[in-house]
Amino acid sequence: MGASWRGTRGMPFWLDDPSRPPQRAHLDRATTTDLVIVGAGYSGLWAALLAKQQDPDRDVVVVDACRVGWAASGRNGGFCDASITHGAGNGRDRFPDEYDTLKRLGDENLDGLIADLDKYDIDCDLERTGELNVATEDYQVGDLREAAEAGEGRFLDREEVRREVASPTYLAGLWDEHGTVMVHPGKLAWGLARAAEDMGVRIFEGSHVRGIKRERDGTRLQTRHASLTARQVVLATNAFPALVRRVRPFIVPVYDYALVTEPLSGEQLAAIGWQHRQGIGDSANQFHYYRLTPDNRILFGGYDAIYHFRRKISSALDSRPQTFDLLSEHFFTTFPQLEGLGFSHAWGGAIDLCSRFCAFFGTAHGGQTAYAAGFTGLGVGATRFGAQVMLDLLSGEETERTATRLVRTKPLPFPPEPFAYAGVQITRASIARADRNEGRRDLWLRTLDRFGLGFDS
């Protein structure tokens, strides 16, 4: 029967770390600055660091409602992918004429990210392992072969993939050895914050921005305790309600969940192989992602993507027993040889889903406020690119990044309630049915595909 997740610590494994820095002070007095960044996750922290790279004399302030990296940036699996289009398939489908450019920009972004980590001495347990996509149903094998033929990785047949990682569920694999690196999400956020502060950035935690208004002398933001006036603003609030209200219809928050095991013994590690420590994702529409942590636990997440009526976000939703039960069952189906291994952590968090599955961008307040949102769960690397785009937009100068359709266009908005909730529930049911029916998409999913929505998870 495996092992129960009950009794685990109900917080992200990555944030339950003795190296987590103490909480910073909140903003307690009226402040004027050149650039204020709302949100101290990856998007905001990269924007702060890159802004100081561009202009060391620019005064930069970062404010966050809670703590550095506490939301999506500290709750993900640590897959840092080169793709800025949520994968090659999504990129080719939505931006066929410029996909080669977007692929190159994504590769350059990952290279730049790794170089910055080295430059600023940010130790986030980076591992250049690549990612292994596995087929667990016969119909998925052909898709992996086609991806390999398109240059997206090395195809592994049943015997080869099981030599890499010993799971009886694997029928084939696609190993992209260079497009993904694994990181410790918490240490990445804390390292970016420390590097930004070393360059003179001021970071205030516990400073929820309640409103934003363009005024004659700049843009004014109000927190509970004080106001901020800035010449320019970056909004990096992920799944939380956008301060620019017209952005809100483009995002719905969906909850993703994960379990982490106790550390594996040497015998348990030998039983599953995994010597190359790749990040792993399976090929179903409702997919799992999993990886080894630096201390040889297994993080196992995904499958369920839960949307709550009226875009509800609450800490009470970070735990979902029925999903943790499912993940535990699926874990031991994947690795029956680990029967009895215990779990140490279980958590969830909100992802900023948009209808095209990759980030969108824009400006407000006469071009003096920039935003990026909609990374849809693949933002560990892409947020650095997004931060560069926001700074480009604020500069007012066209760059290769801002000239792309990725930046110049937006996804289709979601409908108002109750239609959004009904649509998401119908879509989830159809996706589950497709997974049971050799991937065949029903009329509802084909209709979404036709309108460019193309949901697959």
Side-chain angles (χ1 to χ4, degrees):
M1 292 295 294
S4 173
W5 61 271
R6 298 175 195 277
T8 58
R9 290 179 63 79
M11 69 177 299
F13 168 74
W14 309 113
L15 302 183
D16 188 16
D17 191 300
S19 64
R20 187 179 190 181
Q23 185 159 358
R24 295 167 175 83
H26 64 262
L27 184 73
D28 63 357
R29 65 190 65 186
T31 301
T32 300
T33 185
D34 296 324
L35 174 65
V36 63
I37 297 168
V38 183
Y42 296 145
S43 289
L45 295 170
W46 277 118
L49 194 63
L50 295 171
K52 293 295 280 187
Q53 280 185 9
Q54 292 176 1
D55 181 1
D57 294 327
R58 178 161 26 183
D59 188 49
V60 179
V61 170
V62 179
V63 290
D64 194 277
C66 190
R67 297 184 63 180
V68 165
W70 71 280
S73 296
R75 295 167 187 264
N76 62 84
F79 289 61
C80 185
D81 198 292
S83 178
I84 56 176
T85 60
H86 209 278
N90 193 57
R92 288 195 178 98
D93 287 347
R94 299 185 189 282
F95 309 102
D97 296 336
E98 65 181 22
Y99 176 71
D100 288 346
T101 296
L102 297 176
K103 171 71 165 59
R104 174 177 54 79
L105 288 173
D107 290 342
E108 291 173 355
N109 178 65
L110 182 60
D111 290 342
L113 182 152
I114 293 170
D116 279 343
L117 297 183
D118 182 63
K119 177 180 179 180
Y120 296 107
D121 195 26
I122 296 173
D123 180 5
C124 58
D125 298 324
L126 186 143
E127 297 181 80
R128 302 189 189 199
T129 62
E131 183 174 4
L132 183 63
N133 197 292
V134 296
T136 56
E137 300 286 347
D138 289 332
Y139 75 89
Q140 299 164 0
V141 175
D143 292 338
L144 296 187
R145 286 189 184 276
E146 290 179 7
E149 291 168 1
E152 295 170 24
R154 177 159 60 95
F155 181 79
L156 305 177
D157 63 23
R158 174 174 169 157
E159 288 71 28
E160 290 171 324
V161 72
R162 292 187 185 186
R163 281 199 297 270
E164 285 297 324
V165 183
S167 171
T169 66
Y170 294 173
L171 304 179
L174 179 74
W175 187 5
D176 176 3
E177 299 180 52
H178 306 291
T180 302
V181 299
M182 310 307 295
V183 299
H184 183 304
K187 289 181 179 180
L188 175 56
W190 306 330
L192 290 172
R194 188 264 307 157
E197 288 177 320
D198 287 348
M199 298 179 74
V201 174
R202 290 174 286 166
I203 300 176
F204 298 96
E205 299 180 328
S207 302
H208 176 222
V209 176
R210 296 178 166 184
I212 182 171
K213 184 179 180 181
R214 181 67 175 161
E215 297 183 343
R216 179 177 297 180
D217 59 345
T219 301
R220 187 171 182 269
L221 299 91
Q222 185 65 48
T223 72
R224 178 181 179 183
H225 299 284
S227 64
L228 269 166
T229 302
R231 187 170 59 85
Q232 295 180 321
V233 178
V234 160
L235 300 180
T237 52
N238 192 260
F240 295 92
L243 288 168
V244 176
R245 296 186 68 88
R246 67 173 180 266
V247 177
R248 295 183 184 183
F250 294 101
I251 300 169
V252 294
V254 295
Y255 272 77
D256 178 58
Y257 296 90
L259 297 172
V260 165
T261 71
E262 297 288 355
L264 274 65
S265 67
E267 183 179 355
Q268 288 168 325
L269 274 172
I272 60 173
W274 215 343
Q275 293 183 8
H276 291 112
R277 300 178 61 85
Q278 308 97 323
I280 300 178
D282 61 47
S283 301
N285 290 301
Q286 290 181 289
F287 65 93
H288 305 89
Y289 58 87
Y290 40 112
R291 60 164 294 185
L292 290 168
T293 67
D295 61 348
N296 291 328
R297 303 167 190 258
I298 298 176
L299 179 149
F300 195 82
Y303 192 77
D304 272 344
I306 306 300
Y307 171 69
H308 297 276
F309 189 60
R310 292 184 176 174
R311 295 171 165 82
K312 183 178 180 181
I313 297 177
S314 168
S315 59
L317 303 176
D318 292 349
S319 178
R320 192 168 191 267
Q322 56 267 53
T323 294
F324 295 145
D325 284 339
L326 268 177
L327 287 174
S328 177
E329 176 186 341
H330 296 172
F331 176 87
F332 290 107
T333 299
T334 304
F335 296 121
Q337 63 270 52
L338 299 181
E339 186 81 16
L341 178 64
F343 296 101
S344 63
H345 294 75
W347 73 91
I351 292 171
D352 57 338
L353 173 72
C354 77
S355 63
R356 74 181 189 188
F357 274 64
C358 57
F360 63 93
F361 312 88
T363 61
H365 304 134
Q368 297 309 297
T369 295
Y371 58 83
F375 291 93
T376 314
L378 204 67
V380 176
T383 45
R384 181 180 181 275
F385 175 83
Q388 291 176 314
V389 168
M390 288 188 283
L391 295 174
D392 289 346
L393 293 173
L394 290 176
S395 77
E397 298 180 7
E398 184 174 289
T399 65
E400 184 180 27
R401 290 181 287 265
T402 62
T404 62
R405 286 189 63 248
L406 172 70
V407 173
R408 291 187 291 105
T409 63
K410 286 187 172 56
L412 291 174
F414 292 95
E417 297 291 14
F419 305 106
Y421 182 80
V424 171
Q425 302 314 310
I426 294 169
T427 302
R428 289 189 69 232
S430 292
I431 284 172
R433 188 158 47 248
D435 281 339
R436 295 191 301 267
N437 195 28
E438 297 186 341
R440 288 191 283 270
R441 298 168 78 81
D442 62 15
L443 178 61
W444 175 258
L445 293 179
R446 294 198 303 273
T447 300
L448 293 181
D449 292 341
R450 195 172 301 121
F451 283 95
L453 294 170
F455 287 94
D456 62 1
S457 65

